[in-house]
Amino acid sequence: MKKTSLIGGIKENFPSGLVVFLVALPLCLGIALASGAPPLSGVIAGIVGGLVVGTLSNSNISVSGPAAGLTAIVLTAITDLGAFELFLCAGMIAGLIQLILGFVRAGSISNYFPNNVIEGMLAAIGIIIILKQIPHALGFDKDYEGHESIFDNGLNFGYFTELFGAIHPGAIIVTLVSVSILIAWDKFPALKRFKMLPGALVAVVAGILLNEIFKMMGSSLAIEPQHLVSLPVPQSFDDFKNLITTPDFNGFTNPKVWIVGGTIAIVASIETLLCIEASDRLDRQRRITDTNLELKAQGIGNLISSFIGGLPMTSVVVRSSANANAGATSKMSTIIHGILLLICVLSIPVILNLIPLATLAAVLILVGYKLAKPATFKHFWQLGKFQFIPFVATVVAVVATDLLKGVGIGLAISVFYILQGNMKRAYYLSREKLDDADEINMKLAEEVSFLNKAAIKKTLKNIKPNSTVTIDARGTSYIATDVLEMIQDFANIRAKEEDINVELLGFKTSYRDYERDEDSHILITHRRAM
């Protein structure tokens, strides 16, 4: 595969970097707000996630920044510790632990996440994005960006009544215009030629111009400041310096700080590994990320972010999805988004504060649709219930709870079906089928574990007297001791009593010859009486 140099990828990745920047900016601010942290701390985490993690990681699609999944932990920790400066010490501890996890190669656990669970997580994130952006699209921004579930305090029907009673016509117009531009940019080939002019940027500019026109006209359609991007505007270097918070290093002697740091490290690492798996699936070239290197990059990123007053970060699905959908081809896109965040904080916050949240909501709603499009559900339906049920369960659980709980539920259901499928592959023949056969052939699989005992036992139980049974273990490397004893008892005791002719093929002479204890299955065939 031809590799693209870092510099050579700037031109083709600038549009996607710009899109991710536009998506990341309000999320960074919203997550900081939801976490009870200074607004700039979220932007600092986004900058470090783009510049530091983006440079060190070898993921081509993933984008790191402050994570919605950590908001509850961060908010509780800041409250319990009593100071944001102490919390920053916990962030540095989390980064150090992640760095150690990378060196001990803990990233390999991501290889055990099933595809249906990863796809279910992506679809759920898409649904959450859409649901959480609808209020912004309608001009009602009571809810924080940072919450990950729409059922944070139970299903509140009063919220929906309040939502539809506070619809802002100007926000709806901006949303519709922005969505139309984004769809047109995807559908019409003539517009796709403007690669350096992404549809998201056009939509944002259109949203700003529309709202400024409404203001000049004195129209009631003008969108109020609380429904616009809100970024701190330093008037001098001293103002900017005062916005940055540094850690209180006395926190390293506080056991509570270490507990918080360990908690953040574990949750952030799991979320990162999940998102890396998802990002690799979004990569059109299907490149594989070194997850151990990713943990090291995240660790260094969290050390630096916390040292200069930023929130802890993870790889984030929302930004990564926007990155992939905008056509990113390398990690240069992530780095560009970090550079743009840095530039905007230093130079143009006044202009950015003109952006209506409604136009950003339009960008995210289309990102969410692409993640949760009906074709994905149809695909897993066609694969059968063993793929579809864990997929749908993951979707529902992530939407109803949060990312980690939802994925845990999806994994549990997947494991259940794996075990059930393992046992059903050795499924016994019913008494009716065995009554029609006078010759039964049972071919054991390569490995036969205790999970298969019940199926074999029921099959042997249903074999009628005067039959001929062949049990073939020539291709079997392991049989559990209790299964061996059961077959032995059948051949030496019951078969003699009921005049059943039993032929055992390939069985080893000692139990110790079967050394492994892993799951397996049995394939059973039978010949009907002529």
Side-chain angles (χ1 to χ4, degrees), residues 214-247:
F214 293 154
K215 288 180 182 178
M216 287 188 296
M217 294 172 59
S219 172
S220 61
L221 296 176
I223 300 174
E224 295 88 351
Q226 63 265 32
H227 302 312
L228 306 176
V229 169
S230 178
L231 194 67
V233 183
Q235 302 298 323
S236 65
F237 179 76
D238 288 336
D239 290 344
F240 180 78
K241 187 170 63 175
N242 292 333
L243 292 174
I244 297 177
T245 307
T246 55

PDB file of all heavy atoms in Angstrom, residues 214-247:
ATOM      1  N   PHE A 214     -31.026  38.330   9.834  1.00  0.00           N
ATOM      2  CA  PHE A 214     -32.173  38.446  10.738  1.00  0.00           C
ATOM      3  C   PHE A 214     -31.949  39.570  11.748  1.00  0.00           C
ATOM      4  O   PHE A 214     -32.869  40.335  12.077  1.00  0.00           O
ATOM      5  CB  PHE A 214     -32.398  37.124  11.484  1.00  0.00           C
ATOM      6  CG  PHE A 214     -32.829  35.986  10.600  1.00  0.00           C
ATOM      7  CD1 PHE A 214     -32.561  34.667  10.959  1.00  0.00           C
ATOM      8  CD2 PHE A 214     -33.523  36.221   9.429  1.00  0.00           C
ATOM      9  CE1 PHE A 214     -32.962  33.616  10.156  1.00  0.00           C
ATOM     10  CE2 PHE A 214     -33.931  35.171   8.613  1.00  0.00           C
ATOM     11  CZ  PHE A 214     -33.641  33.863   8.979  1.00  0.00           C
ATOM     12  N   LYS A 215     -30.709  39.686  12.256  1.00  0.00           N
ATOM     13  CA  LYS A 215     -30.396  40.729  13.239  1.00  0.00           C
ATOM     14  C   LYS A 215     -30.519  42.122  12.620  1.00  0.00           C
ATOM     15  O   LYS A 215     -31.098  43.037  13.225  1.00  0.00           O
ATOM     16  CB  LYS A 215     -28.974  40.531  13.783  1.00  0.00           C
ATOM     17  CG  LYS A 215     -28.799  39.358  14.718  1.00  0.00           C
ATOM     18  CD  LYS A 215     -27.348  39.265  15.177  1.00  0.00           C
ATOM     19  CE  LYS A 215     -27.107  38.081  16.079  1.00  0.00           C
ATOM     20  NZ  LYS A 215     -25.668  37.984  16.484  1.00  0.00           N
ATOM     21  N   MET A 216     -29.967  42.284  11.411  1.00  0.00           N
ATOM     22  CA  MET A 216     -29.997  43.591  10.758  1.00  0.00           C
ATOM     23  C   MET A 216     -31.425  44.033  10.456  1.00  0.00           C
ATOM     24  O   MET A 216     -31.750  45.215  10.477  1.00  0.00           O
ATOM     25  CB  MET A 216     -29.164  43.560   9.468  1.00  0.00           C
ATOM     26  CG  MET A 216     -27.661  43.521   9.709  1.00  0.00           C
ATOM     27  SD  MET A 216     -26.705  43.716   8.196  1.00  0.00           S
ATOM     28  CE  MET A 216     -27.154  42.251   7.283  1.00  0.00           C
ATOM     29  N   MET A 217     -32.271  43.067  10.178  1.00  0.00           N
ATOM     30  CA  MET A 217     -33.666  43.366   9.874  1.00  0.00           C
ATOM     31  C   MET A 217     -34.487  43.595  11.143  1.00  0.00           C
ATOM     32  O   MET A 217     -35.657  43.992  11.072  1.00  0.00           O
ATOM     33  CB  MET A 217     -34.283  42.219   9.065  1.00  0.00           C
ATOM     34  CG  MET A 217     -33.683  42.045   7.680  1.00  0.00           C
ATOM     35  SD  MET A 217     -34.291  40.537   6.873  1.00  0.00           S
ATOM     36  CE  MET A 217     -36.058  40.832   6.859  1.00  0.00           C
ATOM     37  N   GLY A 218     -33.882  43.324  12.278  1.00  0.00           N
ATOM     38  CA  GLY A 218     -34.631  43.429  13.530  1.00  0.00           C
ATOM     39  C   GLY A 218     -35.724  42.397  13.640  1.00  0.00           C
ATOM     40  O   GLY A 218     -36.730  42.599  14.323  1.00  0.00           O
ATOM     41  N   SER A 219     -35.539  41.278  12.952  1.00  0.00           N
ATOM     42  CA  SER A 219     -36.564  40.241  12.893  1.00  0.00           C
ATOM     43  C   SER A 219     -36.581  39.406  14.174  1.00  0.00           C
ATOM     44  O   SER A 219     -35.559  39.206  14.839  1.00  0.00           O
ATOM     45  CB  SER A 219     -36.301  39.333  11.694  1.00  0.00           C
ATOM     46  OG  SER A 219     -37.161  38.211  11.708  1.00  0.00           O
ATOM     47  N   SER A 220     -37.745  38.886  14.481  1.00  0.00           N
ATOM     48  CA  SER A 220     -37.880  37.961  15.618  1.00  0.00           C
ATOM     49  C   SER A 220     -37.235  36.611  15.319  1.00  0.00           C
ATOM     50  O   SER A 220     -37.103  35.769  16.207  1.00  0.00           O
ATOM     51  CB  SER A 220     -39.354  37.762  15.956  1.00  0.00           C
ATOM     52  OG  SER A 220     -40.048  37.200  14.845  1.00  0.00           O
ATOM     53  N   LEU A 221     -36.846  36.418  14.062  1.00  0.00           N
ATOM     54  CA  LEU A 221     -36.171  35.170  13.685  1.00  0.00           C
ATOM     55  C   LEU A 221     -34.717  35.148  14.143  1.00  0.00           C
ATOM     56  O   LEU A 221     -34.069  34.086  14.100  1.00  0.00           O
ATOM     57  CB  LEU A 221     -36.219  34.990  12.161  1.00  0.00           C
ATOM     58  CG  LEU A 221     -37.610  34.820  11.536  1.00  0.00           C
ATOM     59  CD1 LEU A 221     -37.493  34.759  10.017  1.00  0.00           C
ATOM     60  CD2 LEU A 221     -38.286  33.563  12.076  1.00  0.00           C
ATOM     61  N   ALA A 222     -34.179  36.286  14.569  1.00  0.00           N
ATOM     62  CA  ALA A 222     -32.784  36.352  15.018  1.00  0.00           C
ATOM     63  C   ALA A 222     -32.568  35.394  16.196  1.00  0.00           C
ATOM     64  O   ALA A 222     -33.383  35.332  17.122  1.00  0.00           O
ATOM     65  CB  ALA A 222     -32.425  37.772  15.411  1.00  0.00           C
ATOM     66  N   ILE A 223     -31.480  34.672  16.145  1.00  0.00           N
ATOM     67  CA  ILE A 223     -31.169  33.676  17.180  1.00  0.00           C
ATOM     68  C   ILE A 223     -30.429  34.361  18.328  1.00  0.00           C
ATOM     69  O   ILE A 223     -29.446  35.072  18.116  1.00  0.00           O
ATOM     70  CB  ILE A 223     -30.328  32.528  16.596  1.00  0.00           C
ATOM     71  CG1 ILE A 223     -31.113  31.836  15.470  1.00  0.00           C
ATOM     72  CG2 ILE A 223     -29.951  31.524  17.666  1.00  0.00           C
ATOM     73  CD1 ILE A 223     -30.324  30.792  14.721  1.00  0.00           C
ATOM     74  N   GLU A 224     -30.893  34.120  19.552  1.00  0.00           N
ATOM     75  CA  GLU A 224     -30.316  34.759  20.723  1.00  0.00           C
ATOM     76  C   GLU A 224     -28.905  34.235  21.009  1.00  0.00           C
ATOM     77  O   GLU A 224     -28.554  33.132  20.604  1.00  0.00           O
ATOM     78  CB  GLU A 224     -31.206  34.520  21.955  1.00  0.00           C
ATOM     79  CG  GLU A 224     -32.581  35.157  21.860  1.00  0.00           C
ATOM     80  CD  GLU A 224     -33.594  34.240  21.197  1.00  0.00           C
ATOM     81  OE1 GLU A 224     -33.171  33.194  20.660  1.00  0.00           O
ATOM     82  OE2 GLU A 224     -34.791  34.576  21.205  1.00  0.00           O
ATOM     83  N   PRO A 225     -28.109  35.005  21.741  1.00  0.00           N
ATOM     84  CA  PRO A 225     -26.722  34.608  22.046  1.00  0.00           C
ATOM     85  C   PRO A 225     -26.598  33.258  22.746  1.00  0.00           C
ATOM     86  O   PRO A 225     -25.615  32.539  22.527  1.00  0.00           O
ATOM     87  CB  PRO A 225     -26.232  35.744  22.960  1.00  0.00           C
ATOM     88  CG  PRO A 225     -27.058  36.925  22.567  1.00  0.00           C
ATOM     89  CD  PRO A 225     -28.408  36.378  22.212  1.00  0.00           C
ATOM     90  N   GLN A 226     -27.585  32.904  23.589  1.00  0.00           N
ATOM     91  CA  GLN A 226     -27.478  31.626  24.293  1.00  0.00           C
ATOM     92  C   GLN A 226     -27.605  30.428  23.362  1.00  0.00           C
ATOM     93  O   GLN A 226     -27.325  29.296  23.754  1.00  0.00           O
ATOM     94  CB  GLN A 226     -28.523  31.522  25.416  1.00  0.00           C
ATOM     95  CG  GLN A 226     -29.967  31.544  24.957  1.00  0.00           C
ATOM     96  CD  GLN A 226     -30.540  32.952  25.016  1.00  0.00           C
ATOM     97  OE1 GLN A 226     -29.816  33.926  24.812  1.00  0.00           O
ATOM     98  NE2 GLN A 226     -31.839  33.043  25.293  1.00  0.00           N
ATOM     99  N   HIS A 227     -28.027  30.672  22.118  1.00  0.00           N
ATOM    100  CA  HIS A 227     -28.125  29.591  21.139  1.00  0.00           C
ATOM    101  C   HIS A 227     -26.994  29.653  20.107  1.00  0.00           C
ATOM    102  O   HIS A 227     -27.088  29.059  19.031  1.00  0.00           O
ATOM    103  CB  HIS A 227     -29.475  29.646  20.418  1.00  0.00           C
ATOM    104  CG  HIS A 227     -30.647  29.548  21.349  1.00  0.00           C
ATOM    105  ND1 HIS A 227     -30.735  28.597  22.322  1.00  0.00           N
ATOM    106  CD2 HIS A 227     -31.777  30.302  21.457  1.00  0.00           C
ATOM    107  CE1 HIS A 227     -31.865  28.756  22.996  1.00  0.00           C
ATOM    108  NE2 HIS A 227     -32.514  29.789  22.494  1.00  0.00           N
ATOM    109  N   LEU A 228     -25.936  30.386  20.455  1.00  0.00           N
ATOM    110  CA  LEU A 228     -24.753  30.483  19.613  1.00  0.00           C
ATOM    111  C   LEU A 228     -23.571  29.826  20.331  1.00  0.00           C
ATOM    112  O   LEU A 228     -23.613  29.592  21.540  1.00  0.00           O
ATOM    113  CB  LEU A 228     -24.416  31.947  19.300  1.00  0.00           C
ATOM    114  CG  LEU A 228     -25.538  32.807  18.687  1.00  0.00           C
ATOM    115  CD1 LEU A 228     -25.050  34.245  18.534  1.00  0.00           C
ATOM    116  CD2 LEU A 228     -25.969  32.246  17.337  1.00  0.00           C
ATOM    117  N   VAL A 229     -22.507  29.531  19.579  1.00  0.00           N
ATOM    118  CA  VAL A 229     -21.274  29.023  20.188  1.00  0.00           C
ATOM    119  C   VAL A 229     -20.773  30.047  21.201  1.00  0.00           C
ATOM    120  O   VAL A 229     -20.825  31.262  20.958  1.00  0.00           O
ATOM    121  CB  VAL A 229     -20.207  28.767  19.105  1.00  0.00           C
ATOM    122  CG1 VAL A 229     -18.840  28.511  19.741  1.00  0.00           C
ATOM    123  CG2 VAL A 229     -20.616  27.583  18.231  1.00  0.00           C
ATOM    124  N   SER A 230     -20.315  29.568  22.340  1.00  0.00           N
ATOM    125  CA  SER A 230     -19.840  30.470  23.395  1.00  0.00           C
ATOM    126  C   SER A 230     -18.413  30.108  23.774  1.00  0.00           C
ATOM    127  O   SER A 230     -18.164  29.103  24.444  1.00  0.00           O
ATOM    128  CB  SER A 230     -20.750  30.368  24.627  1.00  0.00           C
ATOM    129  OG  SER A 230     -20.278  31.190  25.662  1.00  0.00           O
ATOM    130  N   LEU A 231     -17.465  30.912  23.318  1.00  0.00           N
ATOM    131  CA  LEU A 231     -16.046  30.693  23.576  1.00  0.00           C
ATOM    132  C   LEU A 231     -15.490  31.892  24.334  1.00  0.00           C
ATOM    133  O   LEU A 231     -15.815  33.035  24.002  1.00  0.00           O
ATOM    134  CB  LEU A 231     -15.301  30.520  22.249  1.00  0.00           C
ATOM    135  CG  LEU A 231     -13.892  29.957  22.305  1.00  0.00           C
ATOM    136  CD1 LEU A 231     -13.916  28.506  22.764  1.00  0.00           C
ATOM    137  CD2 LEU A 231     -13.239  30.040  20.929  1.00  0.00           C
ATOM    138  N   PRO A 232     -14.701  31.649  25.371  1.00  0.00           N
ATOM    139  CA  PRO A 232     -14.118  32.785  26.109  1.00  0.00           C
ATOM    140  C   PRO A 232     -13.327  33.705  25.181  1.00  0.00           C
ATOM    141  O   PRO A 232     -12.608  33.243  24.300  1.00  0.00           O
ATOM    142  CB  PRO A 232     -13.203  32.110  27.138  1.00  0.00           C
ATOM    143  CG  PRO A 232     -13.720  30.718  27.267  1.00  0.00           C
ATOM    144  CD  PRO A 232     -14.275  30.346  25.916  1.00  0.00           C
ATOM    145  N   VAL A 233     -13.445  35.016  25.391  1.00  0.00           N
ATOM    146  CA  VAL A 233     -12.759  36.006  24.548  1.00  0.00           C
ATOM    147  C   VAL A 233     -11.767  36.791  25.410  1.00  0.00           C
ATOM    148  O   VAL A 233     -12.141  37.777  26.059  1.00  0.00           O
ATOM    149  CB  VAL A 233     -13.762  36.975  23.894  1.00  0.00           C
ATOM    150  CG1 VAL A 233     -13.027  37.948  22.960  1.00  0.00           C
ATOM    151  CG2 VAL A 233     -14.832  36.210  23.141  1.00  0.00           C
ATOM    152  N   PRO A 234     -10.504  36.365  25.456  1.00  0.00           N
ATOM    153  CA  PRO A 234      -9.507  37.119  26.228  1.00  0.00           C
ATOM    154  C   PRO A 234      -9.179  38.440  25.543  1.00  0.00           C
ATOM    155  O   PRO A 234      -9.028  38.499  24.330  1.00  0.00           O
ATOM    156  CB  PRO A 234      -8.304  36.179  26.255  1.00  0.00           C
ATOM    157  CG  PRO A 234      -8.468  35.299  25.067  1.00  0.00           C
ATOM    158  CD  PRO A 234      -9.944  35.145  24.840  1.00  0.00           C
ATOM    159  N   GLN A 235      -9.069  39.506  26.343  1.00  0.00           N
ATOM    160  CA  GLN A 235      -8.767  40.822  25.802  1.00  0.00           C
ATOM    161  C   GLN A 235      -7.269  41.099  25.752  1.00  0.00           C
ATOM    162  O   GLN A 235      -6.818  41.991  25.055  1.00  0.00           O
ATOM    163  CB  GLN A 235      -9.456  41.901  26.659  1.00  0.00           C
ATOM    164  CG  GLN A 235     -10.963  41.751  26.744  1.00  0.00           C
ATOM    165  CD  GLN A 235     -11.634  41.884  25.390  1.00  0.00           C
ATOM    166  OE1 GLN A 235     -11.210  42.687  24.541  1.00  0.00           O
ATOM    167  NE2 GLN A 235     -12.680  41.088  25.170  1.00  0.00           N
ATOM    168  N   SER A 236      -6.497  40.336  26.512  1.00  0.00           N
ATOM    169  CA  SER A 236      -5.045  40.540  26.545  1.00  0.00           C
ATOM    170  C   SER A 236      -4.371  39.220  26.866  1.00  0.00           C
ATOM    171  O   SER A 236      -5.030  38.216  27.187  1.00  0.00           O
ATOM    172  CB  SER A 236      -4.680  41.580  27.613  1.00  0.00           C
ATOM    173  OG  SER A 236      -5.016  41.085  28.903  1.00  0.00           O
ATOM    174  N   PHE A 237      -3.047  39.221  26.798  1.00  0.00           N
ATOM    175  CA  PHE A 237      -2.295  37.998  27.115  1.00  0.00           C
ATOM    176  C   PHE A 237      -2.518  37.586  28.566  1.00  0.00           C
ATOM    177  O   PHE A 237      -2.611  36.399  28.878  1.00  0.00           O
ATOM    178  CB  PHE A 237      -0.806  38.216  26.846  1.00  0.00           C
ATOM    179  CG  PHE A 237       0.031  37.008  27.176  1.00  0.00           C
ATOM    180  CD1 PHE A 237       0.052  35.913  26.328  1.00  0.00           C
ATOM    181  CD2 PHE A 237       0.766  36.950  28.362  1.00  0.00           C
ATOM    182  CE1 PHE A 237       0.811  34.780  26.638  1.00  0.00           C
ATOM    183  CE2 PHE A 237       1.521  35.835  28.671  1.00  0.00           C
ATOM    184  CZ  PHE A 237       1.548  34.753  27.809  1.00  0.00           C
ATOM    185  N   ASP A 238      -2.611  38.575  29.465  1.00  0.00           N
ATOM    186  CA  ASP A 238      -2.851  38.266  30.871  1.00  0.00           C
ATOM    187  C   ASP A 238      -4.213  37.602  31.063  1.00  0.00           C
ATOM    188  O   ASP A 238      -4.354  36.678  31.876  1.00  0.00           O
ATOM    189  CB  ASP A 238      -2.773  39.540  31.717  1.00  0.00           C
ATOM    190  CG  ASP A 238      -1.340  40.052  31.851  1.00  0.00           C
ATOM    191  OD1 ASP A 238      -0.412  39.221  31.707  1.00  0.00           O
ATOM    192  OD2 ASP A 238      -1.160  41.265  32.077  1.00  0.00           O
ATOM    193  N   ASP A 239      -5.216  38.055  30.310  1.00  0.00           N
ATOM    194  CA  ASP A 239      -6.539  37.434  30.383  1.00  0.00           C
ATOM    195  C   ASP A 239      -6.478  35.978  29.946  1.00  0.00           C
ATOM    196  O   ASP A 239      -7.081  35.091  30.558  1.00  0.00           O
ATOM    197  CB  ASP A 239      -7.534  38.188  29.498  1.00  0.00           C
ATOM    198  CG  ASP A 239      -7.880  39.554  30.055  1.00  0.00           C
ATOM    199  OD1 ASP A 239      -7.598  39.787  31.241  1.00  0.00           O
ATOM    200  OD2 ASP A 239      -8.415  40.384  29.289  1.00  0.00           O
ATOM    201  N   PHE A 240      -5.747  35.747  28.865  1.00  0.00           N
ATOM    202  CA  PHE A 240      -5.618  34.385  28.356  1.00  0.00           C
ATOM    203  C   PHE A 240      -4.876  33.507  29.371  1.00  0.00           C
ATOM    204  O   PHE A 240      -5.251  32.358  29.612  1.00  0.00           O
ATOM    205  CB  PHE A 240      -4.891  34.384  27.015  1.00  0.00           C
ATOM    206  CG  PHE A 240      -4.727  33.008  26.430  1.00  0.00           C
ATOM    207  CD1 PHE A 240      -5.786  32.373  25.807  1.00  0.00           C
ATOM    208  CD2 PHE A 240      -3.513  32.329  26.520  1.00  0.00           C
ATOM    209  CE1 PHE A 240      -5.655  31.098  25.284  1.00  0.00           C
ATOM    210  CE2 PHE A 240      -3.374  31.058  26.003  1.00  0.00           C
ATOM    211  CZ  PHE A 240      -4.452  30.449  25.379  1.00  0.00           C
ATOM    212  N   LYS A 241      -3.822  34.058  29.953  1.00  0.00           N
ATOM    213  CA  LYS A 241      -3.039  33.305  30.935  1.00  0.00           C
ATOM    214  C   LYS A 241      -3.885  32.943  32.144  1.00  0.00           C
ATOM    215  O   LYS A 241      -3.746  31.856  32.715  1.00  0.00           O
ATOM    216  CB  LYS A 241      -1.819  34.133  31.355  1.00  0.00           C
ATOM    217  CG  LYS A 241      -0.837  33.397  32.244  1.00  0.00           C
ATOM    218  CD  LYS A 241       0.448  34.194  32.418  1.00  0.00           C
ATOM    219  CE  LYS A 241       0.168  35.517  33.125  1.00  0.00           C
ATOM    220  NZ  LYS A 241       1.425  36.255  33.424  1.00  0.00           N
ATOM    221  N   ASN A 242      -4.786  33.845  32.524  1.00  0.00           N
ATOM    222  CA  ASN A 242      -5.638  33.593  33.689  1.00  0.00           C
ATOM    223  C   ASN A 242      -6.698  32.527  33.421  1.00  0.00           C
ATOM    224  O   ASN A 242      -7.282  31.983  34.370  1.00  0.00           O
ATOM    225  CB  ASN A 242      -6.315  34.890  34.131  1.00  0.00           C
ATOM    226  CG  ASN A 242      -5.328  35.900  34.692  1.00  0.00           C
ATOM    227  OD1 ASN A 242      -4.275  35.517  35.209  1.00  0.00           O
ATOM    228  ND2 ASN A 242      -5.652  37.178  34.579  1.00  0.00           N
ATOM    229  N   LEU A 243      -6.961  32.255  32.141  1.00  0.00           N
ATOM    230  CA  LEU A 243      -7.942  31.217  31.805  1.00  0.00           C
ATOM    231  C   LEU A 243      -7.386  29.813  32.012  1.00  0.00           C
ATOM    232  O   LEU A 243      -8.140  28.848  32.110  1.00  0.00           O
ATOM    233  CB  LEU A 243      -8.408  31.382  30.353  1.00  0.00           C
ATOM    234  CG  LEU A 243      -9.246  32.625  30.038  1.00  0.00           C
ATOM    235  CD1 LEU A 243      -9.484  32.714  28.538  1.00  0.00           C
ATOM    236  CD2 LEU A 243     -10.554  32.611  30.796  1.00  0.00           C
ATOM    237  N   ILE A 244      -6.065  29.686  32.034  1.00  0.00           N
ATOM    238  CA  ILE A 244      -5.414  28.378  32.166  1.00  0.00           C
ATOM    239  C   ILE A 244      -5.190  28.058  33.635  1.00  0.00           C
ATOM    240  O   ILE A 244      -4.657  28.869  34.394  1.00  0.00           O
ATOM    241  CB  ILE A 244      -4.073  28.349  31.405  1.00  0.00           C
ATOM    242  CG1 ILE A 244      -4.323  28.555  29.907  1.00  0.00           C
ATOM    243  CG2 ILE A 244      -3.343  27.033  31.652  1.00  0.00           C
ATOM    244  CD1 ILE A 244      -3.062  28.604  29.086  1.00  0.00           C
ATOM    245  N   THR A 245      -5.583  26.855  34.041  1.00  0.00           N
ATOM    246  CA  THR A 245      -5.425  26.403  35.418  1.00  0.00           C
ATOM    247  C   THR A 245      -4.332  25.343  35.488  1.00  0.00           C
ATOM    248  O   THR A 245      -4.287  24.449  34.638  1.00  0.00           O
ATOM    249  CB  THR A 245      -6.742  25.801  35.944  1.00  0.00           C
ATOM    250  OG1 THR A 245      -7.799  26.737  35.737  1.00  0.00           O
ATOM    251  CG2 THR A 245      -6.642  25.461  37.412  1.00  0.00           C
ATOM    252  N   THR A 246      -3.466  25.437  36.467  1.00  0.00           N
ATOM    253  CA  THR A 246      -2.391  24.452  36.636  1.00  0.00           C
ATOM    254  C   THR A 246      -2.693  23.553  37.831  1.00  0.00           C
ATOM    255  O   THR A 246      -3.418  23.941  38.751  1.00  0.00           O
ATOM    256  CB  THR A 246      -1.033  25.150  36.833  1.00  0.00           C
ATOM    257  OG1 THR A 246      -1.149  26.063  37.925  1.00  0.00           O
ATOM    258  CG2 THR A 246      -0.624  25.915  35.585  1.00  0.00           C
ATOM    259  N   PRO A 247      -2.131  22.341  37.847  1.00  0.00           N
ATOM    260  CA  PRO A 247      -2.445  21.395  38.933  1.00  0.00           C
ATOM    261  C   PRO A 247      -1.897  21.851  40.282  1.00  0.00           C
ATOM    262  O   PRO A 247      -0.888  22.550  40.359  1.00  0.00           O
ATOM    263  CB  PRO A 247      -1.755  20.104  38.470  1.00  0.00           C
ATOM    264  CG  PRO A 247      -1.450  20.287  37.030  1.00  0.00           C
ATOM    265  CD  PRO A 247      -1.270  21.751  36.824  1.00  0.00           C
TER     266      PRO A 247
END
